[in-house]
Amino acid sequence: MKMVLEDAVLDRARKTQREITMRKIIGMAALALGLAGASNAAILAGYDFGTPDSGTLDATIVAIGVSTTTVSGSGGASDFVLQQTIGDNTGKAASGTTFGSTLAGNFSGTANDCNGTSLAAAISGNDYVTFTITANRDFGLNLSGFSVAAAIASLTNNRPAEFFNVLAKVSGDTSAWATTDALFASDQEIKVTQGLSDWDDFFVNLSGNTKFQGISSVEFRIYLWGGSGSTSSSRTDYDQIVVEGTVIEKPAAPSDLTSSVIAADGDGVINDIQLTWTDNSSIEEGFNIYHSTSEGGTYTKLTPAAADAASYTVKDLATGTHWFKVTAFSTTLGIESDYATTSSGATATSSGIDLRAFQTSEGVVVEFVAYDVEADGTIQLALMNAAGEVVWTGSVEVTAGPTAFARFLVPGLELGGSYDFRVRDEVGKWWDADGVTVQPFAAAMTSASLAGITLAFDSMADRDYEIQWVAELGDAWQAVTNVTAAGSHTSLVVDVPDGGAAGFFRVELK
């Protein structure tokens, strides 16, 4: 975390106090509204549908930190409306938690078109009643139960939709609705006819269901079936729809996520990527790291990082571009933060560097030109074996500027041999240079005339070379001229120094 120790301690203390205060406020709000039931659960959202004089399809109770949608119907239940003349007026949810008024009001419809014969048929026909509850920013939800009261009109030839099950999907679940999403282990049947107090109560305990712990949002759908006929009085009624649980504070999401390829760390692998981020939470118990080989692809969760961590190394990655996301999590609270503000891509290695290897009197020299050097730093060369392992490394210091020349004397290489190299530049990016053949480094005299002697040699663009001459081998070499190569092959005309009739020339790398 980017703060001095004293600031970190104070910040954690402030955030811990804020968390305690927030929980007290939620607890006090629940008590003031009379929401503490026999199971000590708090109501996250409750739909009572109002009174005979003024009703609503909005939730009549919503916990602090939660938002909800109105109840609506779909398919065969699309004609469901607010009915203000009858309702479950017991003043308790099916769980036993105190909830609702003792006045009438429910959400109902004829439901004759909900005429499927099973839950699967209801799903196929999109015959359902739905609503969604969502935790506001920086909060999450732990669900403990779902309650609903139901009643039907009892008619012999025109049957209401008397069967139902409740399905639920949390945010992020994009799969198709299926029977496996059902909350009740078996389908439910409504047997009680419409009355002011005698309604069927249905409750499912969700406290042990990890799918509904630490979530940001959940949509509920009551799928119904079994209807027949067309009489308008053949009604199915729902009331006292209640979702219970707790509102929890989410760890703050990390930010400033960055990635960089790092050098070999002794394990023979150089394709390691280091992630860094800013830790913004004081209640996290660790960080989840997610990895993908494409920005919009499937992300796999890696081994978590510890609490208070601000960096993480992902090892043994294949060549290519890699993408990452990071979240803070709390196992105790059963919740995970939003993703770090930026998903960061890093290229493990790239190809295309113009690297040459020459046999010289010193041994085999490997060199290349680095362009657009961004900063003063170190360039590293690694020699790889056939298994992709590092067998030798060397480094040179470079200065920021348009170009820098990197030259390495690499042991163990043979003239004519082909070798694979990796280069780490001054900003930590790795480059591939595979199949580099060791060439002899020599200058050839291509012609001689009154104008002078024409020399030719293989070169590297923008590299400086010095032409040297000696009358007899064993004497001291003397510089004749310098040349900056324009490409991969250089030729130039030189004069024999001091009008000499014979001698030897050589080309030396500067």
Side-chain angles (χ1 to χ4, degrees), residues 95-111:
S95 62
T97 300
T98 300
F99 170 72
S101 69
T102 57
L103 299 174
N106 69 48
F107 188 58
S108 64
T110 57

Side-chain angles (χ1 to χ4, degrees), residues 434-446:
D434 294 334
V436 178
T437 301
V438 178
Q439 304 284 349
F441 185 76
M445 185 181 74
T446 61

Side-chain angles (χ1 to χ4, degrees), residues 67 132-135 140-141 143 169-172 211-212 214-219:
S67 59
T132 299
I133 66 172
T134 301
L141 305 173
L143 306 190
K169 279 188 179 296
V170 300
S171 55
K211 174 181 177 180
F212 300 108
I215 62 175
S216 297
S217 179
V218 57
E219 179 185 359

